[in-house]
Amino acid sequence: DAGITQSPRHKVTETGTPVTLRCHQTENHRYMYWYRQDPGHGLRLIHYSYGVKDTDKGEVSDGYSVSRSKTEDFLLTLESATSSQTSVYFCAISDYRGRDTDTQYFGPGTRLTVL
Amino acid sequence: GDSVTQMEGPVTLSEEAFLTINCTYTATGYPSLFWYVQYPGEGLQLLLKATKADDKGSNKGFEATYRKETTSFHLEKGSVQVSDSAVYFCALRGNDYKLSFGAGTTVTVRA
Protein backbone atom coordinates (compact mmCIF):
# COMPACT_ATOMS: atom_id res chain seq x y z
CA ASP A 1 0.00 0.00 0.00
CA ALA A 2 1.13 3.52 -0.81
CA GLY A 3 2.26 5.45 2.27
CA ILE A 4 -0.41 8.09 2.61
CA THR A 5 -1.85 9.33 5.87
CA GLN A 6 -4.50 11.93 6.53
CA SER A 7 -5.13 13.83 9.71
CA PRO A 8 -7.41 14.21 11.44
CA ARG A 9 -9.54 11.23 10.43
CA HIS A 10 -12.67 12.74 11.89
CA LYS A 11 -13.50 16.33 12.77
CA VAL A 12 -16.59 18.17 13.92
CA THR A 13 -16.49 21.94 13.76
CA GLU A 14 -18.79 24.92 13.76
CA THR A 15 -19.78 27.20 10.91
CA GLY A 16 -17.35 30.06 10.43
CA THR A 17 -14.30 28.41 11.96
CA PRO A 18 -11.12 27.72 9.98
CA VAL A 19 -10.16 24.09 9.44
CA THR A 20 -6.95 22.56 8.10
CA LEU A 21 -6.64 19.00 6.88
CA ARG A 22 -3.26 17.41 6.37
CA CYS A 23 -2.09 14.85 3.86
CA HIS A 24 1.31 13.24 4.34
CA GLN A 25 3.06 10.87 1.93
CA THR A 26 6.22 8.83 2.19
CA GLU A 27 6.42 7.89 -1.51
CA ASN A 28 8.11 11.05 -2.81
CA HIS A 29 5.43 11.35 -5.51
CA ARG A 30 5.30 14.61 -7.41
CA TYR A 31 1.53 15.04 -7.72
CA MET A 32 -0.90 15.41 -4.84
CA TYR A 33 -4.66 15.95 -4.95
CA TRP A 34 -7.54 16.82 -2.66
CA TYR A 35 -11.00 15.46 -3.45
CA ARG A 36 -14.33 15.58 -1.71
CA GLN A 37 -16.81 12.71 -1.84
CA ASP A 38 -20.51 13.35 -1.64
CA PRO A 39 -23.43 11.01 -2.38
CA GLY A 40 -24.43 11.12 -6.03
CA HIS A 41 -21.35 13.08 -7.08
CA GLY A 42 -18.53 10.58 -6.92
CA LEU A 43 -15.25 12.31 -6.18
CA ARG A 44 -14.72 15.91 -7.19
CA LEU A 45 -11.32 17.54 -7.39
CA ILE A 46 -10.80 20.53 -5.09
CA HIS A 47 -7.15 21.44 -5.68
CA TYR A 48 -4.04 19.68 -6.82
CA SER A 49 -0.29 20.16 -6.72
CA TYR A 50 2.31 19.33 -9.33
CA GLY A 51 5.31 20.18 -7.18
CA VAL A 52 6.45 22.09 -4.13
CA LYS A 53 4.69 25.47 -4.10
CA ASP A 54 2.97 24.60 -7.40
CA THR A 55 -0.78 24.25 -7.03
CA ASP A 56 -3.88 24.75 -9.13
CA LYS A 57 -7.64 24.73 -8.76
CA GLY A 58 -9.96 21.85 -9.45
CA GLU A 59 -13.65 21.91 -10.25
CA VAL A 60 -14.92 22.75 -6.71
CA SER A 61 -12.23 25.05 -5.30
CA ASP A 62 -14.40 27.88 -3.94
CA GLY A 63 -13.98 28.22 -0.17
CA TYR A 64 -10.78 26.13 -0.09
CA SER A 65 -7.09 26.93 -0.23
CA VAL A 66 -4.04 24.69 -0.26
CA SER A 67 -0.36 24.83 0.44
CA ARG A 68 2.57 22.57 -0.28
CA SER A 69 5.85 23.66 1.25
CA LYS A 70 7.41 20.18 1.23
CA THR A 71 7.11 17.26 -1.16
CA GLU A 72 5.53 15.07 1.50
CA ASP A 73 2.83 17.40 2.86
CA PHE A 74 -0.24 18.89 1.20
CA LEU A 75 -2.56 20.97 3.37
CA LEU A 76 -6.18 21.80 2.65
CA THR A 77 -7.68 24.79 4.46
CA LEU A 78 -11.29 25.79 4.77
CA GLU A 79 -10.98 29.48 5.56
CA SER A 80 -14.45 29.75 7.10
CA ALA A 81 -16.25 26.44 7.20
CA THR A 82 -19.85 26.18 6.00
CA SER A 83 -22.37 23.36 6.31
CA SER A 84 -22.06 22.70 2.55
CA GLN A 85 -18.47 21.64 3.20
CA THR A 86 -19.59 18.71 5.32
CA SER A 87 -18.11 15.82 3.37
CA VAL A 88 -15.49 13.11 3.27
CA TYR A 89 -12.16 14.44 2.03
CA PHE A 90 -9.63 12.24 0.28
CA CYS A 91 -6.05 12.94 -0.53
CA ALA A 92 -4.38 11.18 -3.45
CA ILE A 93 -0.85 11.00 -4.82
CA SER A 94 0.58 10.14 -8.21
CA ASP A 95 3.98 9.75 -9.76
CA TYR A 96 2.65 10.28 -13.25
CA ARG A 97 5.40 10.16 -15.87
CA GLY A 98 3.37 8.63 -18.68
CA ARG A 99 0.61 6.09 -19.18
CA ASP A 100 2.50 3.21 -17.53
CA THR A 101 2.67 5.12 -14.25
CA ASP A 102 -0.82 6.51 -14.61
CA THR A 103 -2.28 5.61 -11.20
CA GLN A 104 -3.50 7.69 -8.27
CA TYR A 105 -3.22 6.25 -4.77
CA PHE A 106 -5.70 7.36 -2.16
CA GLY A 107 -5.48 8.03 1.55
CA PRO A 108 -8.02 6.72 4.09
CA GLY A 109 -10.11 9.89 4.14
CA THR A 110 -11.18 12.55 6.64
CA ARG A 111 -14.81 12.85 7.63
CA LEU A 112 -15.61 16.50 8.30
CA THR A 113 -18.88 17.66 9.82
CA VAL A 114 -19.67 21.37 9.93
CA LEU A 115 -22.50 22.21 12.34
CA GLY B 1 -14.94 18.84 -20.78
CA ASP B 2 -14.17 15.28 -19.80
CA SER B 3 -16.94 13.34 -18.12
CA VAL B 4 -17.86 9.83 -17.05
CA THR B 5 -21.34 8.33 -16.77
CA GLN B 6 -21.86 5.06 -14.98
CA MET B 7 -24.97 3.09 -14.22
CA GLU B 8 -26.80 4.09 -11.12
CA GLY B 9 -27.17 1.71 -8.26
CA PRO B 10 -27.63 0.27 -5.92
CA VAL B 11 -27.10 -3.16 -7.39
CA THR B 12 -27.95 -6.22 -5.30
CA LEU B 13 -26.87 -9.67 -6.39
CA SER B 14 -26.68 -13.18 -5.05
CA GLU B 15 -23.34 -14.89 -4.62
CA GLU B 16 -21.98 -16.44 -7.85
CA ALA B 17 -24.11 -14.14 -10.02
CA PHE B 18 -22.70 -12.23 -13.00
CA LEU B 19 -21.97 -8.57 -12.46
CA THR B 20 -21.88 -5.83 -15.09
CA ILE B 21 -21.51 -2.12 -14.35
CA ASN B 22 -21.81 0.10 -17.39
CA CYS B 23 -19.50 3.06 -17.89
CA THR B 24 -19.36 5.48 -20.81
CA TYR B 25 -17.18 8.52 -21.21
CA THR B 26 -16.75 11.78 -23.07
CA ALA B 27 -13.23 13.02 -23.66
CA THR B 28 -11.04 14.59 -26.27
CA GLY B 29 -7.99 12.74 -27.44
CA TYR B 30 -7.08 9.35 -26.01
CA PRO B 31 -7.87 9.09 -22.31
CA SER B 32 -6.72 6.42 -19.89
CA LEU B 33 -9.59 4.62 -18.18
CA PHE B 34 -9.81 3.22 -14.67
CA TRP B 35 -12.02 1.33 -12.29
CA TYR B 36 -11.56 2.07 -8.61
CA VAL B 37 -13.20 0.21 -5.72
CA GLN B 38 -14.06 1.54 -2.28
CA TYR B 39 -14.76 -0.92 0.52
CA PRO B 40 -16.77 0.29 3.51
CA GLY B 41 -14.90 2.84 5.60
CA GLU B 42 -11.86 2.88 3.35
CA GLY B 43 -10.28 5.00 0.63
CA LEU B 44 -10.34 4.14 -3.04
CA GLN B 45 -8.14 1.42 -4.48
CA LEU B 46 -7.27 0.93 -8.11
CA LEU B 47 -9.02 -2.18 -9.40
CA LEU B 48 -7.88 -2.12 -13.02
CA LYS B 49 -6.97 0.22 -15.82
CA ALA B 50 -6.54 0.43 -19.60
CA THR B 51 -4.48 3.05 -21.34
CA LYS B 52 -5.35 2.58 -25.02
CA ALA B 53 -8.14 1.36 -27.24
CA ASP B 54 -8.90 -2.39 -27.16
CA ASP B 55 -6.78 -2.89 -24.03
CA LYS B 56 -8.34 -5.18 -21.44
CA GLY B 57 -7.69 -4.48 -17.79
CA SER B 58 -8.15 -7.33 -15.32
CA ASN B 59 -7.72 -7.96 -11.61
CA LYS B 60 -9.32 -10.17 -8.94
CA GLY B 61 -11.63 -11.75 -11.54
CA PHE B 62 -12.87 -8.37 -12.79
CA GLU B 63 -12.39 -7.31 -16.40
CA ALA B 64 -13.04 -4.23 -18.50
CA THR B 65 -12.23 -3.54 -22.15
CA TYR B 66 -11.48 -0.07 -23.51
CA ARG B 67 -13.92 0.37 -26.43
CA LYS B 68 -13.17 3.56 -28.30
CA GLU B 69 -15.90 3.01 -30.90
CA THR B 70 -18.59 2.98 -28.21
CA THR B 71 -16.68 5.18 -25.70
CA SER B 72 -17.26 2.56 -23.05
CA PHE B 73 -15.37 0.72 -20.31
CA HIS B 74 -17.87 -1.68 -18.75
CA LEU B 75 -16.82 -3.64 -15.68
CA GLU B 76 -17.65 -7.36 -15.50
CA LYS B 77 -17.15 -10.26 -13.15
CA GLY B 78 -18.40 -13.74 -13.84
CA SER B 79 -19.08 -14.93 -10.28
CA VAL B 80 -19.28 -12.42 -7.46
CA GLN B 81 -18.61 -13.09 -3.80
CA VAL B 82 -19.87 -11.39 -0.66
CA SER B 83 -16.43 -9.79 -0.34
CA ASP B 84 -17.05 -7.91 -3.62
CA SER B 85 -19.63 -5.73 -1.88
CA ALA B 86 -18.31 -2.21 -2.34
CA VAL B 87 -18.73 1.03 -4.27
CA TYR B 88 -17.22 0.97 -7.77
CA PHE B 89 -16.08 4.11 -9.56
CA CYS B 90 -15.27 4.52 -13.22
CA ALA B 91 -12.75 7.27 -13.99
CA LEU B 92 -10.77 8.73 -16.84
CA ARG B 93 -7.65 10.79 -17.20
CA GLY B 94 -7.66 13.05 -20.22
CA ASN B 95 -4.92 15.30 -21.51
CA ASP B 96 -3.65 16.29 -18.08
CA TYR B 97 -2.94 14.53 -14.80
CA LYS B 98 -6.37 14.94 -13.27
CA LEU B 99 -9.01 12.24 -12.93
CA SER B 100 -12.71 12.65 -13.70
CA PHE B 101 -14.92 10.22 -11.76
CA GLY B 102 -18.36 8.80 -12.28
CA ALA B 103 -20.88 9.00 -9.46
CA GLY B 104 -20.17 5.49 -8.21
CA THR B 105 -22.23 2.30 -8.13
CA THR B 106 -22.95 0.55 -4.86
CA VAL B 107 -22.88 -3.23 -5.17
CA THR B 108 -24.20 -5.54 -2.47
CA VAL B 109 -23.68 -9.28 -2.77
CA ARG B 110 -25.85 -11.52 -0.60
CA ALA B 111 -24.88 -15.01 0.49
Side-chain angles (χ1 to χ4, degrees):
Chain A
D1 291 341
I4 311 169
T5 56
Q6 293 184 231
S7 58
R9 294 293 312 280
H10 302 272
K11 186 170 182 66
V12 180
T13 191
E14 295 188 350
T15 298
T17 60
V19 176
T20 296
L21 308 182
R22 180 183 184 234
C23 177
H24 179 77
Q25 61 147 327
T26 58
E27 306 295 324
N28 201 36
H29 282 359
R30 177 181 177 186
Y31 300 96
M32 299 186 75
Y33 310 81
W34 276 108
Y35 294 90
R36 59 178 290 173
Q37 182 179 23
D38 304 289
H41 291 279
L43 273 75
R44 293 179 292 176
L45 183 65
I46 305 171
H47 281 280
Y48 64 100
S49 170
Y50 46 96
V52 173
K53 299 191 189 304
D54 292 323
T55 65
D56 205 349
K57 297 179 179 180
E59 61 180 299
V60 291
S61 60
D62 287 349
Y64 301 95
S65 62
V66 290
S67 66
R68 190 171 178 198
S69 59
K70 299 184 290 185
T71 298
E72 57 266 35
D73 289 326
F74 193 32
L75 304 180
L76 177 71
T77 297
L78 290 66
E79 303 290 348
S80 177
T82 68
S83 59
S84 64
Q85 293 176 311
T86 292
S87 186
V88 180
Y89 292 85
F90 287 99
C91 174
I93 65 174
S94 168
D95 194 28
Y96 176 75
R97 286 173 276 114
R99 289 180 182 257
D100 288 342
T101 56
D102 199 357
T103 299
Q104 289 189 18
Y105 301 92
F106 285 79
T110 294
R111 183 174 296 276
L112 176 67
T113 301
V114 183
L115 301 176
Chain B
D2 297 344
S3 66
V4 174
T5 302
Q6 63 182 99
M7 65 183 282
E8 294 186 13
V11 175
T12 302
L13 303 165
S14 297
E15 228 173 2
E16 300 183 2
F18 186 88
L19 171 66
T20 299
I21 304 176
N22 290 338
C23 172
T24 58
Y25 67 89
T26 301
T28 56
Y30 302 93
S32 294
L33 301 174
F34 306 83
W35 278 101
Y36 279 84
V37 59
Q38 184 180 31
Y39 299 103
E42 298 183 7
L44 278 70
Q45 304 173 23
L46 178 67
L47 181 58
L48 53 84
K49 71 178 183 181
T51 59
K52 59 183 185 295
D54 299 324
D55 268 2
K56 176 185 286 188
S58 62
N59 186 26
K60 299 182 180 180
F62 290 89
E63 293 183 340
T65 301
Y66 187 165
R67 301 289 188 197
K68 187 169 175 59
E69 64 274 15
T70 55
T71 62
S72 65
F73 193 54
H74 304 321
L75 182 68
E76 298 181 335
K77 185 173 185 181
S79 178
V80 294
Q81 305 300 313
V82 172
S83 57
D84 294 323
S85 298
V87 183
Y88 294 83
F89 293 94
C90 186
L92 74 81
R93 187 193 58 73
N95 294 327
D96 54 26
Y97 28 76
K98 297 180 285 184
L99 288 178
S100 297
F101 284 88
T105 303
T106 300
V107 173
T108 301
V109 180
R110 296 190 171 164

